[in-house]
């Protein structure tokens, strides 16, 4: 009997390996829950550009913006084609489930496959705003209650949570203006239609470098190497507002384990490439590879952490 079970297990292992090698049978798509040009989009393309040659099939990045990045997650969760991946972001997986009624279960219908990286949120303001620090921004906001607006990539995003924490800690009233992604929000921020944002570093770093946006502080425990002269909020006297967005590839929970492992293996190779690491770090991302099991544990911990933050600060959608 024991030999029979061992032979059966060996057969299953060989079948799984064969299935992984045969996959993909056609082009693969990576869904992104925000508009082109945003942080999630940049992460997806950094991986997708390298993944195609490794899989020997085209890899297409497809944007499905809206509903706090959950539209793309919903499509992925319900996908049955076997060739749909999702560039997941903390907004959709750790925040939105506590704020929105979703048509899928983030913890059951999607499986974490490969962690990509994490980036801090940055407090940036339009150049025409007469402030040069978080403290001067707070002073201005207190002198004009409700007149300043902050942009986000959507209600329930890390930008939204960070700004609400900032408002609470600083004791100011600033109006929330949600957009369908970071890219259109940034356009209006540069144009002065909105005054500030706590956007993710990949979405704004190019505009900071070109002088189109003014960075006031990084919402992280330490300064970011890409912005060494920009202080943290804590250094600026604003305590308790730390926010980072993290990114990783997810697949439908029905995806065979062997295929999940194949994707994890190939993405691990990509993250080990010096050119990929340089590209991600240039976006302000901390590249910290995880095993698939570690990513699953991280996902669960972040789900609980953001749930506690939202409940404690009574954060609701506008």
């Amino acid at each position: 009997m024991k030999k029979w079970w061992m032979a059966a297990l060996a057969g299953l292992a060989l079948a799984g390996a064969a299935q992984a090698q045969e996959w993909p049978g056609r082009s693969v798509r990576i869904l992104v829950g925000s508009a082109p040009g945003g942080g999630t989009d940049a992460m997806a393309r950094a991986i997708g550009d390298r993944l195609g040659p490794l899989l020997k099939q085209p890899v297409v990045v497809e944007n499905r913006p809206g509903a706090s990045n959950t539209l793309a997650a919903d499509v992925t969760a319900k996908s049955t084609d076997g060739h749909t991946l999702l560039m997941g972001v903390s907004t959709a997986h750790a925040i939105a489930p506590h704020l929105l009624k979703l048509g899928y279960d983030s913890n059951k219908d999607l499986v974490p496959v490969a962690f990509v990286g994490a980036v801090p949120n940055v407090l940036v303001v339009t150049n025409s705003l007469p402030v040069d620090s978080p403290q001067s921004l707070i002073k201005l906001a207190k002198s004009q209650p409700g007149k300043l607006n902050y942009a986000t990539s959507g209600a329930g995003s890390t930008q939204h949570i960070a700004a609400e924490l900032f408002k609470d800690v600083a004791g100011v009233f600033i109006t929330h203006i949600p957009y369908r992604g970071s890219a259109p929000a940034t356009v209006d921020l540069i144009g002065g239609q909105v005054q500030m944002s706590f956007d993710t570093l990949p979405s704004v770093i190019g505009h900071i470098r070109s002088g189109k946006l003014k960075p006031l502080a990084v919402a992280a425990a330490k300064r970011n190497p890409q912005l060494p002269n920009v202080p943290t909020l804590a250094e600026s006297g604003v305590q308790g507002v730390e926010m980072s967005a993290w990114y990783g590839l997810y697949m439908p929970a029905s995806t065979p384990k062997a295929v999940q492992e194949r994707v994890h293996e190939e993405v691990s190779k990509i993250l080990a490439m010096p050119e990929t690491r340089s590209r991600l770090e240039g976006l302000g991302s901390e590249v910290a590879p995880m095993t698939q099991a570690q990513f699953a544990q991280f996902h669960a911990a972040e789900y609980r952490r953001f749930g506690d933050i939202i409940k404690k600060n009574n954060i609701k959608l506008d």
Side-chain angles (χ1 to χ4, degrees), residues 120-311:
N121 289 67
V122 184
L123 172 56
V124 290
V125 298
T126 188
N127 281 331
S128 60
L129 201 67
V131 299
D132 57 9
S133 69
Q135 293 300 333
S136 59
L137 173 63
I138 292 170
K139 183 178 180 180
L140 179 64
K142 286 184 175 180
S143 70
Q144 302 176 13
K147 290 188 177 181
L148 296 185
N149 299 323
Y150 74 88
T152 72
S153 63
S157 60
T158 57
Q159 298 100 302
H160 183 198
I161 304 298
E164 290 301 309
L165 287 173
F166 177 80
K167 287 168 58 177
D168 183 59
V169 170
V172 295
F173 172 45
I174 303 171
T175 304
H176 179 206
I177 308 295
Y179 287 78
R180 290 174 62 86
S182 288
T186 302
V187 169
D188 277 4
L189 182 61
I190 292 172
Q193 284 79 21
V194 287
Q195 289 76 49
M196 58 179 283
S197 176
F198 275 88
D199 213 335
T200 54
L201 190 50
S203 297
V204 296
I205 191 166
H207 302 300
I208 292 173
R209 288 170 174 162
S210 66
K212 293 180 180 178
L213 289 176
K214 186 166 35 175
L216 300 187
V218 178
K222 59 183 180 181
R223 296 192 184 197
N224 189 276
Q226 299 300 318
L227 298 173
N229 297 321
V230 178
T232 66
L233 279 167
E235 287 177 315
S236 304
V238 181
Q239 304 293 331
V241 185
E242 291 185 9
M243 186 63 60
S244 293
W246 49 261
Y247 306 87
L249 284 174
Y250 286 73
M251 299 184 77
S254 59
T255 304
K257 184 63 176 176
V259 174
Q260 297 178 34
E261 291 172 349
R262 171 83 189 281
V263 173
H264 178 85
E265 178 185 347
E266 303 299 2
V267 173
S268 296
K269 292 177 184 177
I270 294 170
L271 293 176
M273 296 176 182
E275 55 269 34
T276 303
R277 180 174 290 272
S278 177
R279 182 173 175 179
L280 293 177
E281 290 177 346
L283 293 170
S285 175
E286 178 183 352
V287 181
M290 298 181 185
T291 66
Q292 190 177 357
Q294 288 171 333
F295 185 20
Q297 292 170 356
F298 176 79
H299 166 102
E302 285 290 275
Y303 182 90
R304 292 191 298 269
R305 183 174 76 90
F306 275 105
D308 290 343
I309 289 175
I310 290 167
K311 183 177 180 180

Side-chain angles (χ1 to χ4, degrees), residues 1-16:
M1 182 67 71
K2 184 177 180 180
K3 290 182 178 180
W4 182 85
W5 275 108
M6 291 177 65
L9 289 173
L12 287 173
L14 288 172

